[in-house]
């Protein structure tokens, strides 16, 4: 067996090259970016609600949370139909912004599990 093969089987065999500091730095960087995205997603949702006017900004307003077909890959003309009306399009936009905020928040929480010294 060559020395190179031995280092693949035993990562500690070559102590001069350690991927851990680089990996930890990437984890910290990715977690920081996820935190930033979470902050921006919250701002986006707040601004969206603010620009839609009443009843969106009223306390206790809770529109029906209809399923969002094709959210991961929107079809051409998705939620742009004038026949459907403006209010359903506004509700759809609210739903998409809310789902985005949830997604990035979960991503941030998941990445925090990988941060050295983070939650166990």
């Amino acid at each position: 067996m060559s020395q190179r093969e031995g280092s693949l089987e035993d990562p500690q065999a070559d102590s001069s090259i350690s991927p851990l500091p680089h990996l930890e730095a990437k984890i910290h960087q990715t977690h920081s970016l996820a935190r930033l995205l979470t902050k921006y997603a919250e701002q986006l949702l707040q601004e969206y609600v603010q620009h839609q006017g009443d009843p969106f900004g009223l306390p206790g307003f809770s529109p029906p949370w209809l399923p969002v077909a094709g959210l991961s890959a929107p079809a051409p003309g998705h939620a742009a139909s004038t026949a459907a009306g403006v209010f359903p399009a506004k509700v759809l936009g609210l739903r998409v912004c809310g789902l985005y905020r949830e997604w990035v928040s979960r991503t941030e929480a998941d990445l925090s599990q990988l941060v050295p010294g983070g939650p166990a």
Side-chain angles (χ1 to χ4, degrees):
M1 174 168 27
S2 73
Q3 182 178 2
R4 185 175 182 185
E5 290 170 345
S7 67
L8 289 176
E9 291 175 16
D10 182 7
Q12 301 301 321
D14 186 4
S15 61
S16 65
I17 302 174
S18 175
L20 289 180
H22 177 69
L23 181 60
E24 288 178 4
K26 287 293 185 184
I27 290 170
H28 278 288
Q29 182 183 27
T30 304
H31 182 249
S32 293
L33 289 172
R35 249 194 333 244
L36 187 61
L37 283 174
T38 300
K39 178 181 163 186
Y40 287 160
E42 182 60 40
Q43 289 174 354
L44 173 67
L45 182 59
Q46 289 174 2
E47 287 182 29
Y48 184 85
V49 167
Q50 202 173 29
H51 288 286
Q52 298 313 310
D54 290 342
F56 289 85
L58 297 176
F61 175 67
S62 180
W65 292 109
L66 305 172
V68 181
L71 183 60
S72 60
H78 182 71
S81 171
T82 56
V86 174
F87 187 77
K90 288 182 175 187
V91 170
L92 177 62
L94 180 67
R95 179 70 172 145
V96 169
C97 289
L99 288 172
Y100 175 68
R101 181 190 62 180
E102 288 176 31
W103 182 79
V104 295
S105 178
R106 288 180 192 168
T107 300
E108 178 190 352
D110 290 345
L111 286 169
S112 72
Q113 300 294 317
L114 299 175
V115 175

